[in-house]
């Protein structure tokens, strides 16, 4: 049946004809899509060039997609972009097939999402970490685009509180009163984490030495590990990574030398138990999940949607047993203070 | 900028670590090209070595099994290249590129299938470091070499072994003869194609060992594309080293040193101007070009490198 | 020791032929087509193993690449830079050089085009566009000529130089765009330059009423022109003859009075010019600015494109189209059939491998004809 339909579509040469989306559906239920009521909500996810295995936000977004599919009975698909020029056609692919929600993962897609969303005003879009940006490079909000932002500095601040408390009190292997961080490359979404981290350390433990470095890579683990070994040789015993796959090498350095590491984006406590003491979490999965649900329930909100400590879009991950109660208490208090607005973590680096 | 940042023990130890995967790929290139087959699939061999090393370590909990498996898969990928290059007379570069794409696609796909949601296990059996107790207390030297990984030493040992094999043994002479003048080699009774097969397979094993070093010694995990072009750098190191193991070692060390510097110099200033961290990262590449232009110059590949050999009268 | 520059390690294997450029393909499309079919059959096994329907997947692959005018234009957009980068590799091969650096030549062309296009954004198009064009081609040519010069003057193997150059450009671009002289404030979230002036933008060549949403830009004409230039230059000019002579044997060329060293520098410059043009077209036709992470791997695919196309103009264009179709169709295959992007790469690799191993297909199609017996398979 669907094969016959696919052949039919193959013969069509008019783009408009592709709007039927029948052949596109791999599930038998698609045959019922003739009636609008039976049509399940369709959510399409387009990754940036990092791909689904990026150990970072693309992967988290995909987790959110799969959870939403399961919990809300949605029909979902994903396309991994291999090149920057694929963003527009990939977003267009879902929009042309009348998907209800098309999610662009990553700030790299801000301009592409603006272009496509303008062409398809009846399709809803969401951009992880971004807002639609026009050809001049300026933000231009659209009525059918939700901008999903995360306050990374809050997550950085929370784990910074834990690191600072442990460094100050010389807990466990943290004996040198020196803490470090490593970014992939110096760009805002990375530096926000590190800025919040440094802000917390400066606030809580002003005497603690802070170092920061970059692997200049989001993939290469050996580079991340070398930066880590270099930091450890300078006395660092708590290492915070914001570098995707390369950051796993940074954690590996901490593991090898028996010091502590802090994970990023997702809960990385299982990456190296006993080494990773907590993670600065950015709940991209939750953003995708919630936005999918919002489309289904009719509560989709265009424009800026912030995922922060306030709505549990930002959090610190599971804690290793070595983290003392006072450090956890301090982090919990910081979380409350960020929610209440008493603390506003910085977004600019203190130590470059 | 301090002396320690330039030639401290930490920098030199890092140089050895960073040079090792490139060295192993380069040694693979030397063996293959000395026998007359261009193996541009070194990158792919490294990648499958890295991935299947992790899978085997996960399944067997044995480092030895993991390394054997990694090298076996590397040998397998190289064997496909050998069939293409030796029997099917494919363009050796296209075949190599195809296998590189295959290796990247396949390892990423399987990585996602096996470990997509969890990541590779954290308790993976890793290749141990070799602690040289008597040296550990020696200042400087101890910090550089007393705690290096077993594969770092294996790489250095392989340099000596392959150098001696190629230039001091009869089978080595035969291998080189096949790469220089296959027709003549055959007339004196050397099995040209068979020799080439073994050489290409060996090159795949060496490169795969380099990949396994990255996943099992350095990272203790696998991530997509983690070899990051080291197979190609290894190819450059092979040429830089004039198709000799010792030369490849020198080239790899220079490259590794440049990379180590790019990390140790982060935050350094020239006068009042802070060197952009991104430009520091160009160090190993610039250093390599300068070294080759300044000291190495012209290098000559084996005469029959890349030319498929057709047996005479074997119709 | 011979004083002429040596062929690359791969030179002999890929040594250009004296045949007419299109000879290989003129024999008919049977072999390449059979190769693709055979490779798809092998790829189907992978798709089956992954739990998907290969026929549905391949329909999506084809439909994604050629199923509608819009899809065809998207495939062509992918094809344009591949053609140009393929020419960049092929010019070098024809001269006996292995240019692994098309990637960095493309990138530096993009940087130069983006810089000039943004710096002089207010100039009218008839002034600005030629400037941007010259900047892109010139930067690519100059950058590649360094590799040629180092080979000619110092004997540095171009494989080393071009591999290293690939990395150097990426890091220099990080600097230029992240917090260097080209960094422009913007809301794009990603480090990027300012947009180029409207006068430098390549127009969309198909009206939106005909093909809604199409992005196909005038760069396709530049790509076609480049293919013609490539053919004319190599087979219809004395310089082209000299380059090919050097490619066939530097020593013999030298004996015939052709100095290989100058020809090597010229060949690399021409190669870089083609790749730089590719980068310039991506900036003026697709993105309208340069940004960090611009790199796309076209320069590496280009090696396969050039060799698959036998370093001939038509062959390169067709091989680039094949790659473009895979890139475009692969996305649709993932979206609709759920076949992962990695498996698309695997299938692409199999296609490439099988085409390279023409022998397999010759045997399969039983077209041994005039060829001498093939001892390998029989």
């Amino acid at each position: 049946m669907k094969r016959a339909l696919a052949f039919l579509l193959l013969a069509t040469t008019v783009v408009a004809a592709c709007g039927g989306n029948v052949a596109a559906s791999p599930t038998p239920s698609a045959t019922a899509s003739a009636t609008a009521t039976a049509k399940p909500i369709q959510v399409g996810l387009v990754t940036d060039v990092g791909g689904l295995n990026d150990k970072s936000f693309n992967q988290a977004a995909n987790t959110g997609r799969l959870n939403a599919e399961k919990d809300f009975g949605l029909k979902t698909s994903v396309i991994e972009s291999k090149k920057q020029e694929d963003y527009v056609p990939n977003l267009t692919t879902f929009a042309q097939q009348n998907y209800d929600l098309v999610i662009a993962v990553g700030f790299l897609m801000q301009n592409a999402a603006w272009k496509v969303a303008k062409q398809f005003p009846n399709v809803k879009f969401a951009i992880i970490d971004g807002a639609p940006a026009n050809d001049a490079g300026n933000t231009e909000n659209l009525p059918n685009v939700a901008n999903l932002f995360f306050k990374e500095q809050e997550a950085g601040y929370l784990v910074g509180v834990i690191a600072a408390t442990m460094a100050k009190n010389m807990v466990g292997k943290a004996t040198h009163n020196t803490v470090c961080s490593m970014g992939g490359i110096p760009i805002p979404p990375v530096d926000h984490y590190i800025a919040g981290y440094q802000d917390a350390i400066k606030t809580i433990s002003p005497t603690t030495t802070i170092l920061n470095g970059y692997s200049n890579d989001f993939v290469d683990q050996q580079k991340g590990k070398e930066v880590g070994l270099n930091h450890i040789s300078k006395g660092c015993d708590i290492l915070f990574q914001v570098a995707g796959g390369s950051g796993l090498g940074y954690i590996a350095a901490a593991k090898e030398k028996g010091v502590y590491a802090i994970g990023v984006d997702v809960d990385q406590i299982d990456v190296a138990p006993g080494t990773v003491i907590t993670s600065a979490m950015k709940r991209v999965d939750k953003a995708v999940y919630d936005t999918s649900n919002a489309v289904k329930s009719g509560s989709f909100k265009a424009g800026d949607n912030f995922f922060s400590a306030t709505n549990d879009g930002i959090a610190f991950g599971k804690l290793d047993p070595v983290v003392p109660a006072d450090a956890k208490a301090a982090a919990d208090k910081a979380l409350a203070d960020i929610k209440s607005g008493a603390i506003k973590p910085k977004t600019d680096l203190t130590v470059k | 900028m301090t002396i320690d940042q330039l030639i401290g023990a930490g920098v030199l130890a890092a140089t050895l670590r960073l040079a090792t995967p490139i060295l192993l790929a380069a040694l693979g290139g030397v063996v293959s090209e000395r026998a007359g087959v261009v193996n541009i699939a070194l990158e792919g061999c490294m990648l499958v070595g890295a991935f299947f090393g992790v899978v085997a370590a996960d399944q067997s909990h044995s480092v030895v099994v993991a390394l054997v498996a990694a090298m076996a898969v590397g040998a397998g990928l190289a064997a496909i290249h050998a069939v293409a290059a030796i029997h099917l007379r494919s363009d050796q570069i296209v075949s190599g590129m195809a296998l590189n794409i295959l290796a990247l696609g396949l390892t990423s796909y399987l990585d996602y299938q096996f470990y997509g949601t969890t990541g590779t296990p954290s308790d993976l059996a890793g290749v141990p470091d070799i602690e040289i107790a008597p040296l550990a207390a020696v200042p400087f030297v101890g910090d550089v070499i007393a705690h290096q990984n077993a594969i770092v030493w294996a790489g250095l040992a392989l340099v000596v072994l392959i150098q001696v094999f190629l230039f001091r043994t009869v089978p080595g002479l035969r291998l080189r003869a096949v790469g220089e003048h296959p027709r003549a080699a055959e007339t004196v009774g050397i099995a040209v194609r068979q020799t080439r097969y073994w050489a290409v397979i060996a090159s795949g094993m060496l490169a795969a060992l380099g990949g396994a070093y990255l996943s099992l010694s350095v990272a203790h995990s696998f991530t997509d594309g983690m070899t990051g072009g080291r197979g190609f750098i290894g190819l450059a190191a092979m040429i830089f080293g004039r198709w000799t193991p010792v030369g490849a070692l020198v080239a790899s060390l220079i490259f590794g040193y440049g990379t180590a510097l790019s990390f140790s110099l982060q935050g350094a200033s020239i006068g009042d101007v802070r060197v952009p961290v991104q430009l520091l990262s160009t160090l190993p590449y610039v250093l390599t070009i300068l070294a080759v232009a300044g000291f190495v110059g012209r290098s000559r590949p084996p005469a029959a490198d890349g030319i498929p050999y057709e047996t005479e009268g074997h119709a | 020791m011979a004083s002429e520059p040596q062929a690359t390690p791969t030179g002999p294997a890929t040594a250009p032929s004296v045949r007419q450029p299109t000879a290989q393909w003129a024999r008919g499309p049977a072999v390449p087509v059979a190769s693709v079919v055979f490779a798809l059959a092998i790829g189907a096994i992978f798709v089956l193993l992954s739990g998907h329907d290969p026929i549905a997947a391949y329909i999506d692959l084809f439909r994604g690449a050629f199923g509608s005018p819009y899809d065809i234009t998207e495939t062509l957009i992918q094809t344009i830079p591949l053609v140009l980068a393929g020419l960049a590799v092929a010019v070098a091969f024809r001269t006996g050089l292995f240019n692994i650096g098309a990637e960095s030549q493309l990138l530096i062309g993009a940087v130069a085009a983006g810089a000039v296009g943004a710096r002089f954004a207010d100039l009218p198009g008839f002034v600005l566009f030629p400037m941007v064009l010259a900047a892109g081609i010139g930067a690519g040519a100059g950058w590649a000529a360094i590799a040629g010069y180092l080979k000619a003057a110092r004997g540095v193997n171009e494989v080393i130089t071009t591999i290293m150059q690939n990395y150097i450009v990426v890091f220099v671009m990080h600097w230029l765009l992240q917090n260097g002289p080209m960094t422009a404030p913007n809301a794009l979230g990603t480090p990027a330059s300012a947009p180029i002036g409207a006068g430098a933008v390549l127009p969309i060549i198909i009206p939106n009423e005909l093909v809604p949403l199409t992005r196909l830009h005038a760069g396709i004409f530049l790509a076609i022109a480049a293919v013609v230039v490539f053919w004319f230059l190599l087979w219809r000019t004395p310089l082209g003859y000299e380059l090919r002579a050097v490619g066939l044997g530097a020593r013999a060329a030298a004996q015939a009075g052709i100095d290989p060293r100058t020809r090597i520098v010229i060949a690399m410059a021409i190669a870089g010019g083609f790749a730089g043009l590719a980068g310039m077209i991506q900036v003026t036709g697709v993105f309208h600015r340069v940004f960090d992470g611009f790199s796309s791997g076209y320069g590496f695919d280009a090696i396969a494109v050039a060799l698959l196309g036998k370093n001939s103009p038509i062959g390169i264009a067709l091989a680039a189209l094949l790659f473009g179709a895979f890139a475009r169709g692969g996305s649709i295959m993932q979206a609709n059939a759920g076949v992962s992007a990695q498996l698309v790469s695997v299938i692409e690799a199999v296609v490439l491998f099988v085409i390279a191993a023409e022998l397999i297909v010759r045997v399969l199609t039983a077209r041994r004809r005039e060829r001498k017996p093939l001892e390998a398979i029989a």
Side-chain angles (χ1 to χ4, degrees), chain A residues 178-186 190-191 193-195 197-198 209-215 227 230-231 234 236 240-242 250 349-352, chain B residues 263 266-267 274 277:
Chain A
T178 303
V179 304
C180 295
S181 54
M182 181 189 81
I185 54 175
V190 167
D191 281 349
Y193 271 118
I194 297 172
Y197 179 69
Q198 294 179 344
T209 306
I210 301 175
L211 295 177
N212 183 41
Y214 295 93
S215 57
V227 175
N230 192 277
H231 280 171
K234 290 174 180 162
C236 287
F240 175 37
Q241 70 97 354
V242 191
Y250 196 62
L349 296 183
T350 311
V351 177
K352 293 205 171 176
Chain B
F263 296 126
Q266 281 197 11
R274 200 179 153 106
V277 60

Side-chain angles (χ1 to χ4, degrees), chain A residues 275-286:
Chain A
T275 299
V276 175
I277 52 172
T278 186
S279 309
M281 288 172 67
K282 168 174 164 181
R283 299 287 308 279
V284 173
D285 57 329
K286 181 176 156 59

Side-chain angles (χ1 to χ4, degrees), chain B residues 195-216:
Chain B
T195 307
R196 287 187 170 181
Y197 264 104
W198 285 118
V200 175
I201 288 170
S203 81
M205 293 171 76
L206 287 163
L209 182 63
Y213 170 76
L214 288 173
S215 65
L216 295 175

Side-chain angles (χ1 to χ4, degrees), chain A residues 3 12-13 15 24 77-80 82-86 89-90 93 97 107-108 110 119 137 139 185-187, chain C residues 53 67 69-70 74 78 178 187-191 213 215 282 289 293 298 328 331-332 334-336 341-342 345:
Chain A
R3 198 170 295 168
T12 61
T13 48
V15 172
S77 283
V78 63
I79 305 179
E80 290 178 72
K82 289 191 166 173
K83 305 191 183 85
Q84 308 273 358
E85 45 270 60
D86 293 348
N90 287 350
T93 296
Q97 296 182 13
F107 50 85
L108 292 173
Q110 294 185 117
Q119 300 287 344
T139 297
I185 54 175
I187 52 172
Chain C
D53 176 354
Y70 174 77
E74 280 299 327
Q78 301 270 357
Q178 284 165 9
L188 292 169
T190 186
L213 304 171
R215 303 189 293 163
Q282 292 304 94
R289 55 157 53 80
Y298 284 127
R328 168 63 190 162
S331 303
I332 305 298
Q334 184 176 28
N336 294 354
Q342 284 81 32
S345 298

Side-chain angles (χ1 to χ4, degrees), chain C:
Chain C
M1 178 65 73
S3 65
E4 81 275 15
Q6 286 294 333
T8 70
T10 55
T14 55
S17 78
V18 279
R19 282 171 299 197
Q20 277 301 300
T22 50
Q24 290 273 355
W25 291 81
R27 262 190 287 120
V31 167
V33 169
S35 301
V36 173
V37 171
F38 179 65
L40 289 179
I42 293 180
I45 299 170
F46 285 97
V47 178
L48 262 179
L49 287 176
S50 74
H52 298 282
D53 176 354
I55 298 190
Y58 283 151
I59 287 170
D60 280 319
L61 181 70
F62 184 80
R63 194 167 65 90
F66 303 111
S68 74
Y70 174 77
D71 293 321
I72 292 170
T73 61
E74 280 299 327
T75 298
L76 289 175
I77 288 171
Q78 301 270 357
T79 305
I80 292 166
L82 281 170
V83 170
L84 290 163
L87 295 177
V89 177
V91 170
F93 269 136
R94 287 283 179 188
T95 316
L97 301 163
F98 188 11
N99 176 17
I100 308 192
E103 181 75 4
S104 74
Q105 293 145 20
L106 181 153
L107 287 174
I108 208 152
V111 167
V116 172
R119 173 72 183 75
F120 304 102
D122 298 333
L123 292 178
F126 69 90
V127 184
L128 183 58
F129 188 81
M131 282 169 64
V132 171
L133 184 69
I137 295 174
W143 182 242
I146 294 173
Y149 171 78
L150 286 175
K151 169 127 187 166
R154 304 283 319 161
V156 181
N157 190 301
E158 76 283 0
V159 172
I160 298 181
T161 319
T162 52
I163 288 178
M164 299 299 148
Q165 282 183 320
N166 283 339
Y167 289 89
I168 292 171
V169 171
V170 168
F171 289 114
V172 169
M173 279 181 79
H174 279 336
W175 170 67
L176 283 172
L177 295 161
Q178 284 165 9
N179 45 22
M182 280 181 76
T183 309
N186 68 70
L188 292 169
T190 186
S193 70
I196 58 172
V201 171
L202 285 168
I204 305 286
I205 57 169
I206 301 178
N208 240 296
E209 298 78 53
L210 280 179
V211 182
L213 304 171
T214 186
R215 303 189 293 163
L216 186 60
H217 50 77
I220 191 167
F221 300 129
L222 291 173
I224 292 169
V227 172
V228 175
V229 167
F230 172 83
W231 166 79
F232 187 82
L233 183 82
L234 278 174
W235 284 277
R236 289 291 180 274
T237 67
L239 176 63
Y241 172 81
E242 290 164 7
L243 295 185
R244 287 183 296 124
V246 172
L248 289 173
R251 194 180 311 224
Q255 278 158 5
I258 302 167
D259 179 4
R261 285 173 300 184
T262 56
R263 303 312 186 282
I264 282 170
V265 180
I266 292 170
M268 282 308 290
I270 294 170
F274 280 125
L277 177 62
M280 176 269 177
I281 288 176
Q282 292 304 94
V283 167
T284 54
V286 181
F287 296 115
H288 307 161
R289 55 157 53 80
V290 203
F291 52 87
D292 200 19
F294 194 89
S295 167
S296 55
Y298 284 127
F300 299 105
D301 285 348
I303 298 169
V305 164
L307 292 172
L308 216 51
K310 307 284 180 199
N311 296 316
S312 80
I314 304 296
I316 289 168
L318 290 175
L321 186 65
L322 180 74
F323 271 72
F326 260 105
R328 168 63 190 162
S331 303
I332 305 298
M333 191 156 131
Q334 184 176 28
N336 294 354
V339 176
S340 95
Q342 284 81 32
L343 272 186
V344 177
S345 298
V346 170
I347 296 169
E348 195 178 320
V350 176
V351 171
L352 196 52
F353 186 84
V354 172
I355 296 179
E358 278 177 44
L359 206 55
I360 298 179
V361 180
R362 287 241 174 71
V363 171
L364 283 176
T365 53
R367 280 175 169 260
R368 302 191 187 189
R369 308 193 290 185
E370 77 283 9
R371 299 214 114 219
K372 65 175 183 173
L374 302 171
E375 73 284 0
I377 288 246

